[in-house]
Amino acid sequence: MSSTWKCEEARVPPALQLLTPPITKFKIGLCQMSVTPDKERNIVHARNAIMKAAEMGAKLVLLPEMWNSPYSHESFPVYAEEIDAGSEASPSTAMLSEVARTLNITIVGGSIPERSGDKLYNTCCVFDTDGKLKARHRKIHLFDIDIPGEITFQESKTLTAGETPTIVDTGAHLICYPGAFNMTTGQLLWELCQRARAADNQLYVATCSPARDVASVYVAWGHSTLVGPFGEILATTEHDEAVIVSEIDYSQVELIRTNLPLQNQRRGDLYQLVDVQRLNC
């Protein structure tokens, strides 16, 4: 017997329709930068990296995870900023806002340690071309790892997990991951996860890591990367400081989704994809 299932029945509530991007092509900049104990230097350095990416044509710029602070339990409370308390209390986000407005670009501001009351969060702020805070995402899945003889680190020791997913409409249909994979997980999983997510979702995936500093307590893997919707590597760095700019072409997303229509092949008769948050709202 022929199946009578309908693919749209595999998602509850029905999927939100993505708006047509205002442009079909644009350039994205990935700023892989070194992070030092000097917070003021880190802020100036990030600003210069963003400006360099913009000069190279980038309209959206991505920074690394924890770009204003060393990645350590001792540093998080010292470098943390109160984002809602104004520019003096949060010089890092004040800089991002000013640069986004001045250069007329969108900035996915990596992440910084955020203080809210007696809690610390690993927080990513997104600023639009007017310099306004479009979104603030507090990292939900904290990174805890214990591999004997290689690496032990528990973000949950000092950081609090966020409680809600964050969706922001920038007009860009891609996934951005500010990340700080280490020398163990980086070699094994960094590229693998990026290419898998790009192929699964048939869209672009951009990642940005701090540059590698072998003298630091936590040594980042580096290799900031842009992956295309077929899982292909379009641009990548090594482990040193670098600013790379590459083009995103949404016509490729449409082409691949037409040639390989994965979204039309969901089996609504066997399973459902339930968006609990939207369902409850």
Side-chain angles (χ1 to χ4, degrees):
M1 296 179 62
S2 61
S3 174
T4 60
W5 58 268
K6 297 180 180 180
C7 63
E8 61 268 20
E9 295 177 1
R11 186 183 291 275
V12 179
L16 293 173
Q17 293 299 313
L18 292 176
L19 298 175
T20 301
I23 53 176
T24 58
K25 294 182 180 181
F26 72 95
K27 291 184 177 180
I28 183 172
L30 310 179
C31 300
Q32 181 168 292
M33 51 175 283
S34 62
V35 180
T36 74
D38 186 338
K39 183 177 179 180
E40 291 186 3
R41 178 267 181 198
N42 294 335
I43 294 174
V44 172
H45 200 49
R47 178 190 176 91
N48 291 338
I50 295 169
M51 294 180 67
K52 181 177 180 180
E55 290 173 358
M56 296 167 67
K59 294 300 181 182
L60 186 150
V61 177
L62 177 61
L63 291 182
E65 183 177 22
M66 291 296 180
W67 60 267
N68 75 342
S69 165
Y71 195 89
S72 71
H73 294 301
E74 296 76 20
S75 298
F76 294 154
V78 176
Y79 290 72
E81 300 181 1
E82 296 183 52
I83 295 173
D84 293 327
S87 58
E88 291 188 5
S90 186
S92 298
T93 57
M95 180 276 291
L96 296 179
S97 173
E98 185 269 328
V99 174
R101 182 180 67 255
T102 301
L103 300 179
N104 194 38
I105 60 174
T106 298
I107 298 177
V108 179
S111 75
I112 63 171
E114 177 198 5
R115 184 183 302 280
S116 180
D118 60 351
K119 295 180 179 180
L120 298 175
Y121 297 94
N122 186 343
T123 300
C124 175
C125 292
V126 180
F127 293 90
D128 65 15
T129 55
D130 293 326
K132 295 180 180 178
L133 181 63
K134 282 285 279 190
R136 173 172 49 188
H137 177 71
R138 292 169 171 170
K139 187 175 182 178
I140 296 175
H141 302 105
L142 298 181
F143 176 70
D144 289 358
I145 186 172
D146 185 9
I147 302 179
E150 294 194 39
I151 183 172
T152 297
F153 196 91
Q154 291 182 304
E155 276 192 332
S156 61
K157 181 179 178 181
T158 50
L159 300 174
T160 299
E163 297 181 349
T164 58
T166 306
I167 299 174
V168 55
D169 180 12
T170 63
H173 299 169
L174 74 155
I175 300 176
C176 290
Y177 290 112
F181 278 40
N182 54 69
M183 298 297 289
T184 300
T185 59
Q187 184 174 6
L188 293 172
L189 302 172
W190 178 248
E191 181 180 312
L192 173 65
C193 288
Q194 296 171 55
R195 298 183 68 187
R197 297 297 78 76
D200 286 345
N201 296 285
Q202 297 179 305
L203 45 64
Y204 288 87
V205 170
T207 59
C208 192
S209 166
R212 189 180 304 173
D213 179 2
V214 295
S216 65
V217 174
Y218 184 94
V219 183
W221 175 244
H223 297 277
S224 302
T225 304
L226 178 66
V227 181
F230 241 151
E232 72 277 25
I233 301 295
L234 298 177
T236 189
T237 68
E238 294 297 327
H239 59 265
D240 294 324
E241 280 198 316
V243 174
I244 59 172
V245 172
S246 188
E247 186 174 74
I248 286 179
D249 182 354
Y250 285 136
S251 68
Q252 293 302 304
V253 174
E254 296 175 5
L255 176 63
I256 289 169
R257 290 182 176 181
T258 299
N259 293 344
L260 185 61
L262 298 181
Q263 296 185 22
N264 298 332
Q265 297 168 6
R266 298 193 182 100
R267 290 293 302 273
D269 58 328
L270 299 179
Y271 58 80
Q272 288 183 319
L273 307 177
V274 180
D275 187 335
V276 177
Q277 186 182 31
R278 285 182 57 218
L279 194 64
N280 289 340
C281 291

